[in-house]
């Protein structure tokens, strides 16, 4: 283990044990380096690495703080990586969504309030008739289900995967004439299953919905440029 890796491990241990809490400020650089038994240069490298994955928040002129450590914050970097590699990983991303989305729908069927179901029903039909309207409604629809699952990590994971597959959604909407009506029908089916408080049916319909997009992308060569709605 390098000295920098050792410093990273020790800082993470301070956070895990509660010595450093979310939002707390790290000690002065000289003091923390001495406490950890590393050089200031090695400490700077460790802080830089932890800031890249959003564990630490470096504020110029103010100091370094532990981030909020919420799932959304920690998964921001994964969203960037997925966006960066979207051209060659759309099928992989959709494969993960095919596992997670049905589970989110099943949980939502058990936990959504009546008001949340009503709101979800409003999101089934886009505000306009354009492809951009469809994709916007699609993102909002799936985000509402993920949030209603009651699992913040699950919701954050799905949110981090929404942007790469959104581009696939735009392209699918352009080349597949029946995408608009089919997406609305599939969303309506998922919403109806959730409203009926039927987790198994919600799971099955969400699985078929995402699997259909994955099948389309596979046939199209998994190239989302210029941008299939899921």
């Amino acid at each position: 283990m390098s000295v920098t890796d050792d410093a990273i491990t020790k800082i993470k241990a301070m956070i895990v044990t509660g010595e450093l809490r979310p939002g707390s400020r790290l000690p002065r650089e000289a003091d923390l380096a001495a406490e950890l038994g590393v050089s200031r240069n090695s400490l700077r490298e460790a802080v830089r690495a932890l800031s890249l994955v959003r564990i630490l928040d470096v504020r110029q002129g103010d100091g370094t703080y532990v981030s909020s450590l919420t799932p959304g914050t920690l998964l921001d970097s994964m969203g960037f990586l997925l966006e960066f590699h979207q051209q060659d990983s759309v099928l992989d991303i959709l494969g993960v969504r095919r596992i997670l989305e049905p589970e989110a729908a099943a949980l939502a069927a058990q936990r959504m309030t009546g008001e949340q179901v009503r709101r979800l029903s409003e999101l089934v039909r886009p505000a306009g008739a354009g492809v951009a309207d469809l994709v916007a409604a699609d993102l909002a629809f799936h985000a509402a289900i993920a949030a209603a699952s009651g699992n913040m990590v699950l919701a954050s994971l799905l949110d981090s995967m929404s942007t790469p597959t959104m581009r696939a959604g735009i392209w699918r909407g352009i080349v597949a004439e029946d995408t608009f009506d089919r997406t609305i029908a599939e969303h309506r089916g998922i919403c109806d299953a959730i409203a009926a408080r039927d987790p198994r049916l919600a799971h099955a319909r969400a699985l078929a919905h995402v699997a259909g997009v994955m099948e389309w992308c596979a046939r199209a060569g998994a190239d989302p440029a210029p941008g299939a709605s899921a």
Side-chain angles (χ1 to χ4, degrees):
M1 180 181 294
S2 70
V3 177
T4 299
D5 289 338
D6 184 46
I8 290 173
T9 299
K10 289 178 178 178
I11 294 173
K12 287 165 60 179
M14 294 173 73
I15 295 172
V16 170
T17 60
E19 185 177 350
L20 290 174
R21 297 183 177 278
S24 63
R25 183 176 179 176
L26 268 64
R28 289 190 319 115
E29 182 182 89
D31 295 336
L32 183 58
E35 181 179 347
L36 299 180
V38 299
S39 69
R40 295 175 69 169
N41 282 337
S42 295
L43 177 59
R44 291 190 194 109
E45 290 298 319
V47 168
R48 185 176 296 111
L50 291 171
S51 67
L52 288 174
V53 292
R54 305 298 297 276
I55 291 176
L56 296 181
D57 178 17
V58 179
R59 305 175 189 175
Q60 294 298 326
D62 187 19
T64 300
Y65 293 76
V66 179
S67 75
S68 63
L69 300 181
T70 60
T73 297
L74 296 179
L75 288 169
D76 274 350
S77 55
M78 188 180 79
F80 171 76
L81 289 174
L82 292 176
E83 180 71 13
F84 186 75
H85 291 288
Q86 63 178 304
Q87 291 296 106
D88 55 7
S89 60
V90 167
L91 285 176
D92 289 338
I93 296 168
L94 285 170
V96 176
R97 285 189 59 191
R98 188 173 62 177
I99 296 169
L100 300 181
E101 296 257 9
E103 294 299 329
L107 288 170
Q110 301 173 68
R111 299 175 179 177
M112 261 193 169
T113 65
E115 176 58 28
Q116 286 176 317
V117 172
R118 185 193 65 77
R119 174 58 180 156
L120 185 68
S121 181
E122 293 176 351
L123 293 172
V124 168
R125 179 165 289 278
V131 173
D133 298 310
L134 175 62
V135 173
D138 181 75
L139 289 172
F141 179 83
H142 288 285
I145 292 175
S149 72
N151 188 313
M152 290 179 60
V153 176
L154 176 59
S156 296
L157 276 170
L158 288 171
D159 180 66
S160 70
M161 294 181 222
S162 64
T163 300
T165 51
M166 180 181 72
R167 293 189 68 211
I170 294 174
W171 181 237
R172 185 186 188 208
I174 292 172
V175 302
E177 294 181 356
D178 63 340
T179 293
F180 200 94
D181 292 337
R182 185 170 64 249
T183 298
I184 292 175
E186 291 175 359
H187 283 186
R188 172 55 63 192
I190 296 169
C191 184
D192 287 348
I194 291 174
R197 308 300 182 190
D198 190 331
R200 293 180 65 183
L201 183 58
H203 185 285
R205 288 179 174 174
L207 176 60
H209 178 54
V210 179
V213 179
M214 191 172 181
E215 181 183 0
W216 180 90
C217 286
R219 289 200 309 267
D223 183 0
S229 188

